[in-house]
Amino acid sequence: MAGSRRHAGQADSAAAILGRALEAAPQEPQLMMALALAYRDMGERGKSVEMLESVYKLRPDDGRIAGNLGAVYVEMRRGEQAEAHLRLALKTDPERRLKWLANLSQALKLQGKQEEAVDTATEALRLAPTDRRLQELFRTIQQEGGEWTVH
């Protein structure tokens, strides 16, 4: 129920439901990650990172957790931290490879690694050449100062 609310744009309601659920199961990784993503959707990146870092400590080899933490770090313009987590996500969560590549290209650009950022965006575009969001990402990554985040 909370997940459907989060996807329907009711992140604050989802966060309240998830927060109550976490009171009953405080170390439940799925609930923690869902709450972290609800916080991110509400624009509460600090709370999101705090929760994702906590769940990451419980499950350091979970690529989905690492990737989402990396994506929030990109939004916070913390390129080096984002890169480390997104590279782990690429190794451990191949199912979401396209998403992690798109975010990694941004993390690299944030660090001034322009050529590597373009190469990474190109790899993502090769996986989904007709995806308009990726096409826009590629154009933005090629420009100086461009910024775009994939969730």
Side-chain angles (χ1 to χ4, degrees):
M1 182 168 160
S4 63
R5 286 181 189 268
R6 188 174 71 79
H7 291 293
Q10 300 174 358
D12 53 343
S13 176
I17 292 167
L18 291 163
R20 287 191 297 275
L22 268 173
E23 289 174 9
Q27 295 293 307
E28 171 51 46
Q30 297 289 25
L31 289 174
M32 293 171 76
M33 187 155 92
L35 181 57
L37 296 177
Y39 284 147
R40 184 203 64 209
D41 293 346
M42 293 167 50
E44 303 255 0
R45 292 185 185 115
K47 286 183 179 180
S48 179
V49 163
E50 185 178 312
M51 184 65 66
L52 283 166
E53 286 174 343
S54 294
V55 72
Y56 179 73
K57 289 176 186 171
L58 294 173
R59 298 248 173 104
D61 294 327
D62 187 319
R64 187 167 175 237
I65 295 166
N68 280 297
L69 183 53
V72 176
Y73 281 143
V74 166
E75 291 175 15
M76 296 175 79
R77 306 189 63 75
R78 291 164 63 178
E80 197 171 303
Q81 290 170 298
E83 179 183 358
H85 286 87
L86 291 163
R87 289 196 185 282
L88 176 62
L90 282 166
K91 290 178 185 173
T92 57
D93 186 22
E95 184 178 316
R96 293 174 188 82
R97 182 170 184 74
L98 184 61
K99 178 179 179 178
W100 307 144
L101 283 170
N103 278 289
L104 177 59
S105 66
Q106 287 238 275
L108 294 166
K109 184 161 180 84
L110 285 171
Q111 297 174 77
K113 300 177 181 179
Q114 181 68 19
E115 188 174 324
E116 194 175 353
V118 169
D119 290 347
T120 303
T122 300
E123 185 179 346
L125 192 57
R126 279 191 202 120
L127 294 173
T130 60
D131 186 309
R132 289 182 186 198
R133 291 181 64 183
L134 287 173
Q135 291 170 357
E136 178 63 25
L137 168 67
F138 183 76
R139 283 190 294 276
T140 303
I141 290 293
Q142 287 182 309
Q143 297 170 3
E144 286 301 315
E147 185 176 321
W148 194 84
T149 304
V150 177
H151 296 287

